[in-house]
Amino acid sequence: MEPWKIKMVEPLHMSTREQREAWIADVGLNLFQLRGDQVMIDCVTDSGTTAMSSAQWSALMLGDETYAGCDSFYKLEAAVKDIMGFKYVVPTHQGRAAENLLANIYLKPNDGKYVIGNMHFDSMRVRAELAEKEPLDFLAEPGYHSTDENDFKGNIDLEKVEDFIKKTGTENIPLIMMTVTSNTNGGQPVSMANIKGLSEIAHRYGIPFYIDAARYAENCYFIKEREPGYQDKTPKEIAREMFSYADGCTMSAKKDGMVNIGGFLCTNSDEIYAIASELVMCFEGFKTYGGMAGRDLEALAVGIQEGIDYTYLKARIGQIEYFGQCLDEYGVPYVRPVGGNGVYIDGMKFYPEIPQERYPGLTFACELYIHSGIRCAELGTSAFTKTLEDGTVVMPRLDLVRVAISRRVWTNSHIEYIAESIGKLYQSGSQYAGIRKKSHGLVAAQEHFTSGYEFIEK
Ligand SMILES: *Cc1c(COP(=O)(O)O)cnc(C)c1O
């Protein structure tokens, strides 16, 4: 049962199939280019879409808008330290701004080339590439097999990481980042043992180790449920242990911070804090607000505590599990077990007759929108195909479509509608032979936000 009741409601934007067919054709089958009022149920992301609590809305009124040293910052700092235990907190307006600080500190032109991670999120990937570095994923093998069950499919392959460090030399590896949960392959958790193992390797070789903490609370919940030895600990105790292994973290508070905007960088290093607290002034603003209004700092100080509460997390993850069970009635292929922030459909298994170069996942996402008004995000072939310097095209191993579920927003009857719509599409199969690309955007690594496509008729 949800540990909350609804005080305020917002109408859905209802539409017809004919309207949606025209709208999606107008934007070249790019779901990111639709307007919000052209979407009935928006599952494109769980980022910044959380419903805030009455406690958070009240906290907004306490926002102290003092330029330097506002009260609201000290409340946020205390809340973050209480949960994460880091020495320093630098607020930023969202997660990628914290990554930008980190990149300006660790990924300078003379620093090494390779940034190691389990599976970098796209904002960090782009940031590293803009710094002319190469982000490398060392996700352990189970993470690539969508329909095989495994408790911790976000884990990194520790042996491969250590071999790579030995072969490449520590001077070529300026940073190691662990993303919890691993968004890109299904919101899949990383075990405490794996985080500890990576921390030991990083520290043995003297490489800074940061956590991308966007969904740290969901990760802690999975550790409690699945990893021996953690059943009797609270998610907060688990978070403390998890962050004790890292030198710092970047946070997109738009996820487990339970707010619509916000983020921060944490570090234990006096030296890194000294640089970050000056750099933040160039990009975001003074170190006690970092691009956020005082009221937003207040909402986050309350939200971050709500997001790590066990009763909340149980209902949150419970709803995603219920979504998976509804899909099972239709046999829909998705990443198993379900992750923290939604269900990830396996495009190549959903439309097995459509070859990967014709974007099976994107075809599904577009047809789901046309049939049912639900918007989701392809995080597969359109998002992660790379063209190497010699012209070789490398497609990603997984063609996933994320059906993200916003926090505290949907009732289970919305979930049933989404599952039934996907299930029916799976049973009927595609009306098309796939999709082809017509035009593309400027920044290769984020082309999926800007490219244009068209259906290939059967
Ligand atoms: C959303 C996200 C980011 C980037 O954060 P923004 O707040 O969108 O800038 C980084 N890492 C992960 C894992 C994310 O999900």
Side-chain angles (χ1 to χ4, degrees), residues 47 93-97 99 121 123-124 179-181 183 212 214-215 250-255 262 402:
S47 178
H93 79 282
Q94 61 182 79
R96 65 201 61 199
E99 291 163 5
F121 182 67
S123 58
M124 187 61 199
T179 304
V180 302
T181 58
N183 184 358
D212 175 338
R215 297 185 185 77
T250 56
M251 176 74 182
S252 168
K254 302 173 71 171
K255 286 65 170 248
R402 182 181 66 189

Side-chain angles (χ1 to χ4, degrees), residues 79-374:
V80 173
K81 283 187 178 177
D82 174 49
I83 295 169
M84 300 185 167
F86 290 116
K87 198 166 169 190
Y88 299 108
V89 184
V90 181
T92 58
H93 79 282
Q94 61 182 79
R96 65 201 61 199
E99 291 163 5
N100 184 39
L101 291 178
L102 206 60
N104 273 282
I105 295 169
Y106 288 113
L107 309 183
K108 294 188 299 299
N110 291 329
D111 294 326
K113 184 166 171 66
Y114 303 103
V115 185
I116 290 179
N118 49 341
M119 208 168 197
H120 293 286
F121 182 67
D122 44 10
S123 58
M124 187 61 199
R125 194 180 299 279
V126 174
R127 193 61 197 75
E129 286 174 0
L130 288 175
E132 298 189 355
K133 307 299 177 199
E134 197 172 326
L136 294 175
D137 295 340
F138 285 87
L139 190 72
E141 194 55 30
Y144 288 107
H145 299 271
S146 66
T147 48
D148 298 349
E149 299 269 346
N150 184 293
D151 280 346
F152 292 103
K153 289 166 101 169
N155 278 1
I156 201 166
D157 188 327
L158 295 172
E159 226 170 277
K160 273 199 191 153
V161 169
E162 186 152 18
D163 286 350
F164 183 82
I165 297 174
K166 280 188 196 152
K167 196 178 76 199
T168 315
T170 52
E171 70 283 6
N172 293 311
I173 304 162
L175 182 65
I176 296 181
M177 282 283 272
M178 180 74 111
T179 304
V180 302
T181 58
S182 176
N183 184 358
T184 308
N185 73 320
Q188 293 293 313
V190 182
S191 71
M192 191 71 90
N194 196 248
I195 293 166
K196 192 172 172 199
L198 186 60
S199 161
E200 281 165 8
I201 293 174
H203 293 135
R204 191 174 325 134
Y205 292 94
I207 303 169
F209 172 49
Y210 278 69
I211 291 179
D212 175 338
R215 297 185 185 77
Y216 82 98
E218 291 171 1
N219 201 83
C220 291
Y221 176 83
F222 285 119
I223 288 175
K224 180 176 167 72
E225 295 297 299
R226 297 181 185 171
E227 193 162 349
Y230 290 94
Q231 277 65 38
D232 298 328
K233 299 208 160 127
T234 62
K236 202 158 150 178
E237 286 165 338
I238 296 171
R240 263 302 180 102
E241 179 181 340
M242 186 169 92
F243 290 115
S244 75
Y245 299 125
D247 299 310
C249 75
T250 56
M251 176 74 182
S252 168
K254 302 173 71 171
K255 286 65 170 248
D256 284 351
M258 310 298 282
V259 288
N260 306 119
I261 193 76
F264 51 82
L265 171 74
C266 288
T267 179
N268 282 328
S269 155
D270 299 340
E271 186 197 338
I272 298 303
Y273 172 70
I275 309 171
S277 61
E278 282 198 33
L279 269 181
V280 73
M281 189 78 191
C282 314
F283 302 119
E284 299 281 296
F286 193 67
K287 65 183 179 183
T288 56
Y289 76 88
M292 288 168 82
R295 54 180 173 271
D296 293 330
L297 299 168
E298 290 279 342
L300 176 53
V302 176
I304 198 159
Q305 295 282 5
E306 291 179 356
I308 191 73
D309 176 69
Y310 176 70
T311 320
Y312 154 72
L313 283 166
K314 192 165 165 3
R316 158 81 175 151
I317 305 295
Q319 187 174 56
I320 313 282
E321 286 167 351
Y322 177 63
F323 184 8
Q325 288 159 14
C326 295
L327 289 173
D328 287 342
E329 288 177 27
Y330 300 89
V332 172
Y334 62 83
V335 175
R336 291 173 172 279
V338 295
N341 55 313
V343 168
Y344 290 58
I345 308 289
D346 186 323
M348 288 190 271
K349 290 188 171 147
F350 195 91
Y351 283 157
E353 71 285 6
I354 300 180
Q356 186 175 5
E357 61 276 13
R358 290 186 173 188
Y359 305 101
L362 190 62
T363 307
F364 154 65
C366 292
E367 287 192 286
L368 181 66
Y369 169 71
I370 292 170
H371 286 243
S372 314
I374 300 161

